[in-house]
Amino acid sequence: MTDSSAKVDNLVDWLRDAHAMEQQAETMLKAQSSRLENYPKLKARIDQHIEETLGQQKLLDGCLARLNASPSTIKDMGGKIMAFGQGASGMFVSDEVIKGAMAGYVFENMEIAAYTVLIAAAKAAGDLETQRACEQILPQEEAMAAWLKEHLPELTQAYLARDAAPDTTAKR
Ligand code: MG
Ligand code: FE
């Protein structure tokens, strides 16, 4: 295997991983949004990020197609099943909204790491279009991570206030 084809092979592997990650993101975000009832600001930001996530999937599809590769169906399925499990596990905790926001923050940071790696790998392989696509996605993940971090205190206060009040639901 030549040096450059090994670089492209790694790039394709990591693009497939990112594709599976975005499938997982879509499942998780949609589950969170559909269950949220009392936290409209969080729900609206999640809905915005669902739209961004669908755009990211399209960009990754385009990168894989240009490299004559297809997404990994097995990894995509595995991610969806894991995300379903995470979504379902929220149903059993009384602080679902807090656990969900924390999990979201962790997930966004994983995405930041993945696209930072992909940008470097695309540069190394000389694939400018993949580099540009990932440079377009990365700030969306950084913005979502920053929004969650910034709003965790106020979300916690809202949760605690609802939890302390007699006739309100705090959970979601
Ligand atoms: Mg994403
Ligand atoms: Fe994201």
Side-chain angles (χ1 to χ4, degrees):
M1 190 178 286
T2 65
D3 177 55
S4 74
S5 78
K7 283 176 181 161
V8 172
D9 281 354
N10 279 296
L11 182 61
V12 167
D13 278 350
W14 291 335
L15 281 168
R16 284 192 174 121
D17 290 344
H19 192 278
M21 178 177 74
E22 295 304 349
Q23 296 283 320
Q24 188 180 350
E26 180 190 347
T27 305
M28 199 179 68
L29 292 167
K30 283 182 173 170
Q32 286 182 350
S33 172
S34 72
R35 290 182 54 76
L36 282 174
E37 284 170 1
N38 301 305
Y39 302 90
K41 260 172 85 174
L42 176 62
K43 186 181 165 81
R45 188 61 181 87
I46 288 174
D47 287 343
Q48 181 195 326
H49 201 53
I50 290 171
E51 291 311 308
E52 290 166 346
T53 298
L54 297 177
Q56 295 169 1
Q57 289 173 1
K58 286 216 176 83
L59 282 169
L60 294 170
D61 279 333
C63 292
L64 285 166
R66 266 188 299 101
L67 292 162
N68 291 313
S70 54
S72 159
T73 322
I74 294 168
K75 279 186 180 169
D76 281 5
M77 279 309 298
K80 278 188 177 178
I81 291 164
M82 261 176 59
F84 176 78
Q86 285 159 3
S89 71
M91 295 190 246
F92 304 110
V93 295
S94 59
D95 57 346
E96 175 175 349
V97 60
I98 299 296
K99 292 289 192 293
M102 286 171 65
Y105 181 68
V106 171
F107 196 93
E108 295 307 325
N109 279 281
M110 183 179 71
E111 293 185 293
I112 289 168
Y115 289 109
T116 302
V117 167
L118 268 171
I119 289 166
K123 272 186 197 167
D127 182 346
L128 193 63
E129 284 182 78
T130 297
Q131 184 191 329
R132 294 249 167 86
C134 295
E135 284 171 346
Q136 197 179 323
I137 295 172
L138 179 59
Q140 297 177 337
E141 312 298 18
E142 288 171 336
M144 185 62 179
W147 191 94
L148 287 168
K149 175 123 198 296
E150 210 177 288
H151 289 82
L152 273 172
E154 130 187 2
L155 190 67
T156 305
Q157 282 154 15
Y159 169 83
L160 291 172
R162 294 191 71 89
D163 193 45
D167 293 317
T168 58
T169 314
K171 179 177 159 74
R172 59 192 174 107

